[in-house]
Amino acid sequence: MWSTSLPGSCSRACHHVGSLNLLYKYVNQGRAEADRSAVSPRAFSELLLARPQRLAAEQRQTLTGLMAACPEMDRLAGHIRSFARLLSPAPRNAEILREWITAVREDGLPHLHAFTRGLDQDRDAVESAVACSYHNGGTEGVNTRSKLIKGQIYGRVGFPLLHHRILLG
C-alpha cells in the first residue's frame, strides 16, 4: 500500500500507491461499530443484577441483545438470578445453595468458580445466612459506625467526646 521512494527519485520520502477507496476504508475501519453505544462493564453488571421486571424497555432490550451475543452471559445471568432468590432466608435454602454450587461448578464459568470457592471457605456461615431469618447485621452496623467515628477523631479527643458522639450521633 505504501512504498518508500528511492533516494533522488522524488523529493518526498513516501507516496501512496493504492486506490483512494482502499485508503478510505483503511482510515475509517471500525467507525461503524463506534456509532453504536458501548455498555461499560459496570452498567452491564447493574443490568444483570437488577430484577428483570424493574428494567425499562430499553434496558431490557440492551440486556437481551448482550446475552444473545454471548451464550456464557446468558448462563451467567441464570446463575445470578437463581442465587439472588437464595438471599431471602428460607429453611430449605441451605440445600438449594449446595445444589447451586454443584450446578455452577459443572458449568464452565471460571469467575463463578472462584465465588463458589469463597462460599466453601465459610460454608457454615453462608448456609446459616441463607437459611435463618435471624442475623447480627444490626450489631455489625453499630460496630462499624463506632469504629468509623473513633477513626475520625483518633488522637484528638478523649473518651468522653467519643462516648457522646456514639450515643447522640
Side-chain angles (χ1 to χ4, degrees):
M1 186 168 155
W2 295 94
S3 70
T4 305
S5 301
L6 296 173
S9 65
C10 181
S11 64
R12 295 189 305 195
C14 296
H15 66 277
H16 181 292
V17 228
S19 69
L20 182 60
N21 190 25
L22 185 61
L23 178 64
Y24 179 79
K25 285 181 182 178
Y26 177 76
V27 169
N28 289 315
Q29 69 183 2
R31 289 200 181 169
E33 290 83 20
D35 291 341
R36 289 182 282 161
S37 62
V39 178
S40 71
R42 176 175 286 200
F44 184 59
S45 64
E46 288 174 3
L47 289 174
L48 279 176
L49 294 173
R51 292 183 180 176
Q53 62 270 20
R54 290 190 178 175
L55 293 175
E58 181 181 322
Q59 292 173 322
R60 199 173 304 122
Q61 182 180 6
T62 301
L63 181 61
T64 304
L66 290 170
M67 289 185 349
C70 182
E72 289 85 8
M73 288 298 164
D74 194 30
R75 294 194 325 256
L76 175 68
H79 289 308
I80 289 171
R81 289 191 180 115
S82 60
F83 185 80
R85 285 191 287 275
L86 292 172
L87 298 179
S88 296
R92 193 170 170 270
N93 278 358
E95 179 185 331
I96 296 171
L97 176 68
R98 282 186 232 113
E99 294 169 3
W100 184 85
I101 290 173
T102 304
V104 166
R105 289 197 173 137
E106 290 172 357
D107 210 346
L109 300 171
H111 289 72
L112 282 181
H113 293 179
F115 179 65
T116 59
R117 281 192 302 275
L119 293 176
D120 277 339
Q121 288 176 354
D122 203 2
R123 174 76 69 116
D124 293 335
V126 174
E127 286 182 356
S128 66
V130 297
C132 299
S133 59
Y134 300 103
H135 56 83
N136 65 343
T139 304
E140 290 299 324
V142 170
N143 288 342
T144 302
R145 185 174 162 275
S146 301
K147 289 177 182 179
L148 174 71
I149 292 171
K150 180 182 175 193
Q152 288 173 340
I153 61 175
Y154 183 75
R156 293 185 220 153
V157 296
F159 181 75
L161 181 60
L162 176 64
H163 184 261
H164 180 77
R165 285 207 46 201
I166 288 175
L167 290 179
L168 299 178

